[in-house]
Amino acid sequence: MPNKSIVKVSVKTSKIPASLESVPLNSIRRILPDKTIHDACRQVNYNYRKRFITPVVTVLHMILAAIWPEESFNASWQLLWSSFTANHPSMAGKSPSRGTVSNARKRMPLKAWNKIAGWLSEQGQTYSEKLDKWHGHRVIAVDGTCMTAGNTKELCETFGLSNGNTGPRLYPLIRMVCLSIVETMIVINYRIGSYRTDENALLKPMLKTLRKGDILLADRHFAGSNLYWSYMQNGLEYLTWKHQRLIVSRLKRLWSYGTNDFVAKLKISDVYQHRNPEMPKFIRARFIRVEARVRGKFQNIWMVTSLLDDKYPAKEIAELYLKRWSIETLFRQFKVALSADILRSQSSVAVYKEIAARICAINIVRTIMIESTMANNVDITRISFIHTVRAIIAFAPALAMQPARRLPTIYRAMLCEIAAHLVPLRKGRLEPRKLAHDPQSYPKLKTTRAKWRKKNAA
């Protein structure tokens, strides 16, 4: 018997929003249910009319834009509308205009996006609980990165331009600091600021969102006695490289576990004590020297940690610090696989929403990877992020069209397929940061496109 929705001559306008909301993205909607989106809108007092493009459709549209290979809002919307017209042929060729879809993105409040991102973060942390412990501590990596935005006047004024050897850059840079669970790479929290904003200033308000006893892994930019005191005040442990200005040989040792493993007094600068009288003059920190390969050369480096007890062996601490590089992988997936390196939004509020949508997308994909790990008993660090995205897209039609009784079986098959393609072990891999192929033979654009068009107009 043919499907009634296909032979129907027309679709009632009142039923279009509900039909649009039934687009085939069941794997995503299993992690992010519609109720969560509606609750987020209600919590920020966003009262919306029953339009064609509801908040659920808007959220799915922007998340799909992050994971869809064509990397554009327009491609994402065309995919959603084509899925809708496949079941309602009478609506073919009647897609809302780009302006209508853009207005739907504008109507969705940024606060609602923040609520959704926060909810997905909590979900991801819950899923990670069996995988994220080291000696009973949860291990969190922190680092910062930059993204490029469009060259509009508002974005340039909001985020600022960087200066290079040839003068100011053409496009504004957005600075972001991110906290993620080391083992599962779930994004716990993130903060965005202008290019001139210091990364430590972005990190400070996020420390309160971490749990007592978490270990913070960071590079030397987040090192310093005043910062260590701030971490401990928030109930956190820390493990960083030593600050480049710190001379270890001048420290007063309190006790030693070995020649290259000791606890010492670390002085807090008078400048920071003057700013905050609550800071003590000294704190205790443990120093461990290890040999590591940095930029292809073996060097002796010092690590600083608050794990003073000898129940934490120096070798295990050194191995733990190597896991900090997981956040670099996370940034690569965020900026390359999810196309966040160059943002397309033309206003600052829209930029914040676009970043929030991509954070939601990465946590959804990561949560599905955790499910695959638990269901198939494989190491999550070896599951391919990009293959998971491909599986989500490939299994979407089957999860939408098969009978409800078969959906759990299909979903399990998707998790099995994700776990079947593991990334090979490449410990200590070293590759030259050089191009294997010549770049395209186009001259570098040294001005904005608008100025170039005006100068070279026929």
Side-chain angles (χ1 to χ4, degrees):
M1 183 177 178
N3 191 320
K4 293 182 180 180
S5 62
I6 294 180
V7 299
K8 197 171 182 179
V9 176
S10 63
V11 181
K12 291 185 178 180
T13 304
S14 60
K15 292 184 178 180
I16 290 179
S19 299
L20 267 175
E21 288 183 353
S22 63
V23 291
L25 290 170
N26 289 341
S27 54
I28 292 177
R29 301 174 81 171
R30 186 176 183 276
I31 307 300
L32 177 62
D34 297 356
K35 182 179 182 300
T36 300
I37 300 172
H38 292 305
D39 289 346
C41 294
R42 187 178 65 254
Q43 290 168 10
V44 300
N45 298 318
Y46 173 44
N47 299 315
Y48 52 89
R49 291 189 290 143
K50 198 68 173 178
R51 303 173 185 264
F52 278 15
I53 308 176
T54 65
V56 171
V57 175
T58 302
V59 170
L60 292 175
H61 157 51
M62 291 189 70
I63 290 176
L64 183 59
I67 67 174
W68 191 248
E70 292 184 59
E71 307 175 357
S72 74
F73 289 130
N74 188 44
S76 166
W77 176 253
Q78 288 176 0
L79 179 67
L80 290 177
W81 186 259
S82 297
S83 299
F84 166 65
T85 55
N87 290 321
H88 303 284
S90 62
M91 297 301 296
K94 300 178 182 179
S95 170
S97 66
R98 292 187 182 185
T100 301
V101 180
S102 176
N103 288 334
R105 295 196 295 268
K106 291 178 182 177
R107 286 194 300 268
M108 188 72 180
L110 176 59
K111 290 183 178 179
W113 274 110
N114 292 337
K115 289 285 185 182
I116 295 169
W119 187 88
L120 284 170
S121 170
E122 292 294 333
Q123 284 291 102
Q125 292 178 66
T126 301
Y127 275 78
S128 302
E129 286 181 351
K130 294 182 179 179
L131 303 171
D132 61 2
K133 296 296 187 295
W134 180 85
H135 284 273
H137 299 273
R138 194 172 65 157
V139 185
I140 309 297
V142 59
D143 207 350
T145 188
C146 287
M147 296 161 284
T148 306
N151 188 20
T152 66
K153 182 179 180 180
E154 181 196 352
L155 291 177
C156 290
E157 292 176 350
T158 302
F159 299 109
L161 302 174
S162 66
N163 290 320
N165 296 330
T166 58
R169 302 300 188 200
L170 299 178
Y171 296 93
L173 286 178
I174 303 166
R175 190 175 299 281
M176 181 178 76
V177 171
C178 184
L179 291 168
S180 72
I181 299 173
V182 164
E183 289 295 334
T184 61
M185 293 193 224
I186 290 290
V187 177
I188 296 178
N189 205 344
Y190 71 99
R191 295 273 294 190
I192 301 166
S194 67
Y195 175 72
R196 303 289 177 189
T197 306
D198 183 68
E199 291 181 353
N200 285 297
L202 295 174
L203 172 63
K204 187 176 180 180
M206 293 194 292
L207 295 176
K208 297 180 180 179
T209 65
L210 298 177
R211 300 174 185 173
K212 304 293 183 182
D214 284 352
I215 299 176
L216 199 64
L217 297 187
D219 61 18
R220 65 181 61 186
H221 186 79
F222 299 93
S225 55
N226 61 309
L227 298 175
Y228 296 153
W229 180 82
S230 178
Y231 302 153
M232 291 187 293
Q233 284 296 104
N234 286 276
L236 306 176
E237 308 289 351
Y238 60 84
L239 174 59
T240 73
W241 273 27
K242 81 169 186 67
H243 194 276
Q244 59 268 28
R245 294 183 181 178
L246 178 64
I247 302 176
V248 177
S249 60
R250 295 182 180 178
L251 296 175
K252 180 180 179 180
R253 300 192 180 196
L254 299 177
W255 66 85
S256 299
Y257 299 118
T259 306
N260 299 321
D261 182 7
F262 63 89
V263 176
K265 291 175 68 175
L266 195 58
K267 188 180 186 304
I268 297 179
S269 172
D270 295 336
V271 175
Y272 296 112
Q273 292 182 52
H274 180 72
R275 293 176 185 173
N276 186 355
E278 294 182 1
M279 282 190 179
K281 291 184 179 181
F282 296 93
I283 62 170
R284 292 179 175 180
R286 184 177 177 183
F287 292 80
I288 301 171
R289 186 168 68 177
V290 298
E291 186 181 45
R293 187 165 57 190
V294 181
R295 296 183 177 91
K297 298 181 180 179
F298 283 96
Q299 301 178 18
N300 288 320
I301 62 172
W302 285 97
M303 295 186 299
V304 189
T305 181
S306 59
L307 303 171
L308 308 182
D309 201 306
D310 61 353
K311 71 178 183 180
Y312 304 105
K315 184 178 179 181
E316 292 186 22
I317 291 176
E319 291 174 351
L320 176 65
Y321 186 78
L322 294 176
K323 295 184 177 181
R324 193 200 71 82
W325 290 101
S326 67
I327 198 167
E328 302 291 350
T329 302
L330 176 70
F331 284 150
R332 185 188 65 191
Q333 294 165 353
F334 179 70
K335 296 171 70 172
V336 178
L338 299 187
S339 312
D341 190 21
I342 302 175
L343 303 172
R344 291 160 177 77
S345 300
Q346 300 297 304
S347 69
S348 55
V349 175
V351 162
Y352 284 115
K353 292 178 184 178
E354 187 176 352
I355 293 174
R358 279 162 167 73
I359 291 291
C360 290
I362 205 166
N363 274 348
I364 289 171
V365 175
R366 282 281 161 195
T367 301
I368 292 175
M369 291 170 67
I370 296 172
E371 286 188 322
S372 177
T373 294
M374 303 300 289
N376 298 280
N377 194 28
V378 296
D379 184 358
I380 190 169
T381 60
R382 296 189 59 195
I383 290 183
S384 168
F385 179 87
I386 193 63
H387 179 69
T388 303
V389 173
R390 292 170 185 157
I392 291 171
I393 295 172
F395 275 78
L399 287 170
M401 300 181 67
Q402 293 294 326
R405 59 184 173 79
R406 293 205 61 207
L407 296 185
T409 302
I410 296 173
Y411 193 82
R412 286 194 297 271
M414 184 187 76
L415 297 181
C416 183
E417 182 65 20
I418 291 171
H421 297 267
L422 300 180
V423 176
L425 289 172
R426 295 174 290 191
K427 187 176 181 180
R429 182 179 60 149
L430 180 65
E431 296 289 342
R433 300 186 69 176
K434 296 181 179 180
L435 296 176
H437 301 277
D438 292 333
Q440 294 289 341
S441 56
Y442 294 106
K444 186 176 181 180
L445 184 66
K446 297 182 179 180
T447 183
T448 63
R449 294 185 182 278
K451 291 180 180 179
W452 188 93
R453 292 191 194 100
K454 185 176 180 180
K455 180 180 178 180
N456 295 277

